[in-house]
Amino acid sequence: KNEVEQSPQNLTAQEGEFITINCSYSVGISALHWLQQHPGGGIVSLFMLSSGKKKHGRLIATINIQEKHSSLHITASHPRDSAVYICAVDNNNDMRFGAGTRLTVKP
Amino acid sequence: GAGVSQSPSNKVTEKGKDVELRCDPISGHTALYWYRQSLGQGLEFLIYFQGNSAPDKSGLPSDRFSAERTGGSVSTLTIQRTQQEDSAVYLCASSYLYEQYFGPGTRLTVT
């Protein structure tokens, strides 16, 4: 079993839909990261969480430490949100990655 | 300001040759990370530096891989006697606290 599990693996949505991507992990963590990788390959850090909830524009990330689960939500999705979203857990700088969720938002 | 830069952006090498990949982190970032992403695969953690020291080198795939960081800044990842399975995009990231800033990566192809 992978230490970091993401679901779904692939997700197709219509523009405007509310998106949820889930991440479950089985190891202890000091922080959890949500990353975005566009088709060109560049990676951008969206959020770093150690507890609670963070919001940035249309993106919301939550984490439940007790349940070892995090979610990334995208409200009012747009085609430019199409990318691979990666969950990464940080155990004192030892990083473990989920396999990623490929999101396609259709106009 | 300048982001994380990596060089070269692409490298094609013959099997058995040594390669050196360079990462220039954001100025002032004390932590530096190396990752690998093989074609169609997820990200794989290789090594982390805090300052010039790497507390844990167990993420390096084999003893052909080594990394160093000098002056708390530039880092090099060296792969000796390259093998075809080393072909991947090698990514570097730096951070000051926890948020990581990624470089564009070096695409390594071993023929």
Side-chain angles (χ1 to χ4, degrees), chain A residues 93 95, chain B residues 31-35 45 47-48 91-95 100:
Chain A
N93 297 297
M95 303 287 292
Chain B
L32 186 147
Y33 305 78
W34 281 101
Y35 302 102
F45 169 71
I47 193 168
Y48 149 75
L91 291 152
C92 171
S94 70
S95 73
Q100 296 187 25

